[in-house]
Amino acid sequence: MGGSSSSRTRLPTPYLPRTPGTTPQDVMKTHVLKLQTRSWDGSRDRAAPQSLLCMTGAAGAGKSALQQTVAELCTNLGIFASCFFFSSSDGTRNNVSRITPTIAYQLGLKNPALRRSIATAVEDDPLIFKQTLKIQIERLIVRPISRLPPQDLARFPYAVFIDGLDECAEEDRQRELLAALKACFLNGRTPFRIFLASRPELPIFEALQPGGYLREVAYHIRLSDDYDASADIRRTAQRRLTELGQRRQLERDWYSERDVEAIVEAASGQYIYAATAIRYLSDSRGSPAERLRTIINWAPGKDIKGKGPMAALDLLYTNIVLRAKEGYEAAGTNNQLDFVLILKCYIVIGGYIFHSLRDYDSMLELEYGTHERILCDLRSLITVNDEKDTAAIQRSGALVFYHKSFKDFLRSEIRAGSLFLSENEVHDHLFLCGLRMMAKWPATTFSNAFTENGPITFGGSNTYIRLVKSVSMEAGNRCYGRLNRDHPPSEAVVDAFIVFARDSSGLNKIDNWIVSSEGTSAEQEGNRNDWLAIQDTLLPYVKKKDSVLAATAKEYSMKWKNIKSKHRR
C-alpha cells in the first residue's frame, strides 16, 4: 500500500548523534520512551492520555527524517502500528483517498480477527471508500478494533504515523482529515496514539492555535522554533563528504572543517539546504572539489540572513538553476525556447502519466534529447524514473522532485526573482504546442483522442494522443477557458488557432467530434464546454486577423451551444 514506512520512497535513515543533548533526535527518543506509558507527554492518566503529537516545521527542517527515526524506534519497541506518508509528487499519495485503506490494511496484518472484521465491513458496504473520512475510519478502524478481546487489545501496537499533511493537495481535505482524527481517535475509544508531521500551513495552524479544535488535545512541537539542527547538519555533512571522497578515491583532506562550517552556517538549520548542496557536489558530471568551492562561493552573505528561513535555500536553488541554464545555452541547440519555460512545462506535463521524457520533448516540439540537456545539471533537485519501472511512472510520473520546496520556489515570483515565469505563460505555451500538434493529426487520430472516455490506460494504443489532448485542453482552460477568461492569448496562440481552424480543417474536426458525442457522457459534455469557452475567448483576437474565419467559427459555436442546450432539456 502507498505511503508505508518500508517503501522505496522513504528517506535515507538520518544520522543520529552519539552523545546526548537537545537535538531533535534526542528529544524525539525521549517522547518515544514516554509513549510506552501510551501518552506522548508521559502522562499516566489512561482516562485522558495525550493521544496526538503534532510536529510542525518549515520545509527542509527534517520532519520526515525524524518521523522515520521515531517509527524505527517504535518498531524496535513493538508498538509501531501503521503509517501513511503524503507526497505531492505521487498521484496515489497527494490526496486522502488512500489513507484509511492503507492504515486499515496495515492494522489488519497484525491480528487475524481484526483483519476478518475489516474485510467484513468492506463486504457489507462495497461503497465505503466513497463515504467521508470520518465514516471510513469509524467503520474500518474504530469499530473493528473495539471488538477485539481485551487481552488482544492490551497487546496491540498503537503508534500511528502520518507525515507531510501539507502535501495533501486540497486544504479542505486536510481539514477533513484533522477533524476525523479528532472525532475518531482522541476520545479514548481506541488505543492509538497519532504522530502527525506537517509544515505549519493554514489547516493545521488554525487547528492548533488558541481556540483551535486541536489546541487542547494535541501535544505540539514547533520544530524550527524549538531546536537548532546545526549539530546534526554538521555531522551529516562530515559523514557524507567523507563517504563521497572514498567513493571517488579523493585525498583524505579534500575538504576542510572550514568547508563543513560554511555549509552548516549557510543552511541556517535547514536540512534541505545541506542535502541539496551535497547532492550537487556529488554529481558524477563534475569534480567534487570544484563543486564544493562553488557551493562555498554561493554561500549567502549577511544581507540574506535576515530575509527569512528560506532565503539561503532560494539562493542555492537560484544558483543551481542559473548554472544549468548557462550550460544548456552554451551547448548550442536549435531550440529557441527559454530554459525555464521548458523546465516549467516539464513540471506541468509531469502531472500526467507520459511514458518517458522523450514524450515530453515531442509534445513541446523540441529536438531529440533536449530533456537530457535540460536536466543534466539539475540532478541535485530532480531525479528521473527508469522508463522500465512502469509502477513508479504510474505513481509519480517520469520526473520526481527531491523536495516540494523547489516547486514552491519556481512558483513564487518573490522567491524565484528573475527565474520566475507565471503559470499563465506556461499554460499559454502548452496550449500553443497542443494546437500545433492537433493541426497535424488526421481526422481519425483527432477523433480517437477526443472521443475515448474513461481513464487513460498506461501504454494503450491511444495513450499518447489522449495525453496530448488532455494537457492541451487543461492548459487552455486554465489560461483563457472556463477557469480564467481574463488572460489574453499570446499572438502565437492566435496564429496557431487560425492555422488549426482554417488550414487544417480544425473546425470540421471539432464539429464531427461534438456532433458524434452528443449525449454520450458527462465527461464529453465537460470537454465540449471547455472547448467552447476557449474558442469564445480566442475569437475576438482571431477577428482582428481574419474576420471571415472568426465569423465562421462563431457560427460553429452557436451550433454547438444549441446542441448543449438540447442535451440539457
Side-chain angles (χ1 to χ4, degrees):
M1 303 291 288
S4 69
S5 64
S6 59
S7 72
R8 292 191 305 159
T9 55
R10 53 191 311 279
L11 296 170
T13 302
Y15 180 73
L16 294 176
R18 298 179 181 176
T19 56
T22 58
T23 65
Q25 285 90 344
D26 292 323
V27 175
M28 295 316 301
K29 284 193 286 185
T30 300
H31 282 294
V32 172
L33 294 175
K34 291 178 179 179
L35 184 58
Q36 294 180 82
T37 71
R38 294 183 179 262
S39 177
W40 286 110
D41 62 353
S43 169
R44 295 183 179 273
D45 181 1
R46 297 297 181 89
Q50 198 79 43
S51 301
L52 175 63
L53 171 64
C54 290
M55 180 172 68
T56 59
K63 300 181 296 296
S64 295
L66 285 171
Q67 271 254 359
Q68 290 176 179
T69 297
V70 175
E72 289 163 4
L73 292 169
C74 288
T75 299
N76 293 337
L77 291 170
I79 61 176
F80 174 85
S82 180
C83 69
F84 189 89
F85 295 166
F86 285 101
S87 173
S88 62
S89 62
D90 186 335
T92 66
R93 294 191 290 126
N94 63 4
N95 59 76
V96 297
S97 64
R98 300 289 183 97
I99 187 167
T100 303
T102 297
I103 292 176
Y105 170 81
Q106 293 172 353
L107 296 177
L109 294 177
K110 301 184 183 301
N111 184 285
L114 179 63
R115 182 162 62 248
R116 289 191 294 271
S117 184
I118 293 171
T120 299
V122 175
E123 291 171 1
D124 289 346
D125 185 2
L127 299 179
I128 182 63
F129 298 113
K130 301 293 186 181
Q131 302 285 356
T132 65
L133 280 177
K134 181 181 176 182
I135 292 175
Q136 290 181 42
I137 294 172
E138 178 71 29
R139 295 182 184 175
L140 298 179
I141 299 175
V142 176
R143 290 182 188 176
I145 199 75
S146 66
R147 297 190 184 109
L148 287 181
Q151 62 271 22
D152 285 1
L153 198 59
R155 294 193 300 266
F156 201 89
Y158 48 85
V160 176
F161 297 82
I162 300 173
D163 182 43
L165 176 66
D166 56 279
E167 299 210 25
C168 177
E170 299 178 49
E171 287 190 353
D172 286 346
R173 300 288 76 76
Q174 294 178 34
R175 292 186 177 93
E176 182 187 6
L177 176 57
L178 292 172
L181 293 177
K182 181 178 186 293
C184 297
F185 291 125
L186 306 187
N187 50 19
R189 292 191 295 151
T190 75
F192 299 119
R193 305 297 175 255
I194 314 295
F195 182 1
L196 176 70
S198 175
R199 286 201 269 185
E201 296 191 354
L202 196 57
I204 195 167
F205 175 81
E206 291 174 338
L208 292 170
Q209 69 178 345
Y213 58 89
L214 294 181
R215 174 74 174 189
E216 301 301 325
V217 294
Y219 189 89
H220 185 198
I221 294 178
R222 298 171 182 83
L223 192 62
S224 299
D225 297 338
D226 297 345
Y227 307 111
D228 181 2
S230 297
D232 282 340
I233 293 173
R234 182 178 296 106
R235 277 183 284 266
T236 300
Q238 288 171 331
R239 177 171 59 87
R240 296 284 298 277
L241 292 175
T242 298
E243 291 172 351
L244 175 61
Q246 292 170 346
R247 287 198 309 271
R248 302 286 287 271
Q249 298 182 333
L250 304 176
E251 297 292 335
R252 293 185 64 181
D253 62 350
W254 77 275
Y255 75 91
S256 67
E257 290 302 313
R258 182 178 295 180
D259 296 332
V260 174
E261 288 305 311
I263 293 175
V264 172
E265 183 179 357
S268 300
Q270 300 295 310
Y271 280 93
I272 189 61
Y273 181 98
T276 302
I278 292 171
R279 278 197 302 268
Y280 180 77
L281 61 92
S282 300
D283 194 305
S284 59
R285 284 170 45 86
S287 160
E290 290 179 4
R291 290 202 168 203
L292 178 58
R293 299 273 71 77
T294 299
I295 288 291
I296 302 303
N297 290 335
W298 285 347
K302 294 181 179 179
D303 59 321
I304 292 290
K305 295 296 178 67
K307 295 185 178 179
M310 305 304 292
L313 182 62
D314 291 346
L315 181 61
L316 179 62
Y317 284 158
T318 297
N319 284 320
I320 291 175
V321 174
L322 286 174
R323 179 64 59 90
K325 183 175 185 289
E326 291 169 3
Y328 171 75
E329 292 171 349
T333 69
N334 293 324
N335 299 321
Q336 301 300 313
L337 292 183
D338 176 72
F339 175 90
V340 177
L341 177 59
I342 297 174
L343 176 61
K344 293 201 69 171
C345 285
Y346 282 172
I347 294 172
V348 174
I349 297 173
Y352 298 81
I353 310 172
F354 280 86
H355 184 263
S356 75
L357 290 170
R358 290 191 298 275
D359 292 337
Y360 287 34
D361 292 341
S362 176
M363 166 147 194
L364 296 175
E365 303 178 295
L366 300 173
E367 62 185 34
Y368 184 83
T370 295
H371 65 275
E372 296 174 356
R373 294 188 289 274
I374 290 287
L375 300 175
C376 63
D377 287 324
L378 295 176
R379 299 291 183 175
S380 58
L381 307 175
I382 303 170
T383 188
V384 180
N385 277 325
D386 189 329
E387 288 184 21
K388 297 178 182 177
D389 192 348
T390 55
I393 292 175
Q394 285 181 291
R395 185 172 60 246
S396 57
L399 280 183
V400 179
F401 290 79
Y402 280 111
H403 203 271
K404 181 176 178 286
S405 61
F406 180 56
K407 279 187 179 180
D408 295 340
F409 163 79
L410 290 175
R411 292 185 180 126
S412 170
E413 185 172 7
I414 294 174
R415 294 177 61 187
S418 63
L419 295 174
F420 175 76
L421 276 179
S422 71
E423 298 302 302
N424 280 336
E425 292 176 270
V426 176
H427 287 125
D428 185 273
H429 184 73
L430 284 169
F431 184 68
L432 168 65
C433 292
L435 270 181
R436 287 173 173 170
M437 185 162 287
M438 289 188 288
K440 300 173 185 176
W441 287 349
T444 53
T445 301
F446 190 93
S447 177
N448 289 337
F450 275 80
T451 58
E452 283 195 23
N453 292 320
I456 300 177
T457 305
F458 186 74
S461 58
N462 292 324
T463 296
Y464 178 71
I465 59 171
R466 290 187 67 194
L467 284 169
V468 169
K469 184 267 294 184
S470 296
V471 173
S472 306
M473 292 293 288
E474 178 71 10
N477 203 13
R478 288 186 177 278
C479 211
Y480 22 72
R482 287 192 292 168
L483 299 179
N484 183 5
R485 296 210 175 200
D486 297 328
H487 178 69
S490 66
E491 188 170 344
V493 163
V494 176
D495 290 341
F497 180 86
I498 290 173
V499 171
F500 169 77
R502 183 184 63 198
D503 302 339
S504 303
S505 303
L507 292 176
N508 288 333
K509 294 174 185 176
I510 295 288
D511 186 59
N512 290 336
W513 155 54
I514 289 180
V515 171
S516 64
S517 65
E518 179 183 355
T520 55
S521 70
E523 180 180 346
Q524 287 295 337
E525 183 175 4
N527 288 335
R528 289 195 297 272
N529 291 340
D530 288 344
W531 181 264
L532 276 167
I534 292 169
Q535 182 163 299
D536 284 350
T537 299
L538 294 177
L539 284 185
Y541 301 92
V542 172
K543 186 177 180 179
K544 295 176 181 178
K545 294 194 171 192
D546 191 327
S547 58
V548 174
L549 176 63
T552 302
K554 188 171 183 179
E555 290 177 6
Y556 273 112
S557 291
M558 295 302 297
K559 174 184 177 182
W560 300 333
K561 288 174 183 176
N562 287 332
I563 291 175
K564 186 173 68 171
S565 298
K566 283 195 301 181
H567 179 54
R568 281 178 178 169
R569 292 197 294 270

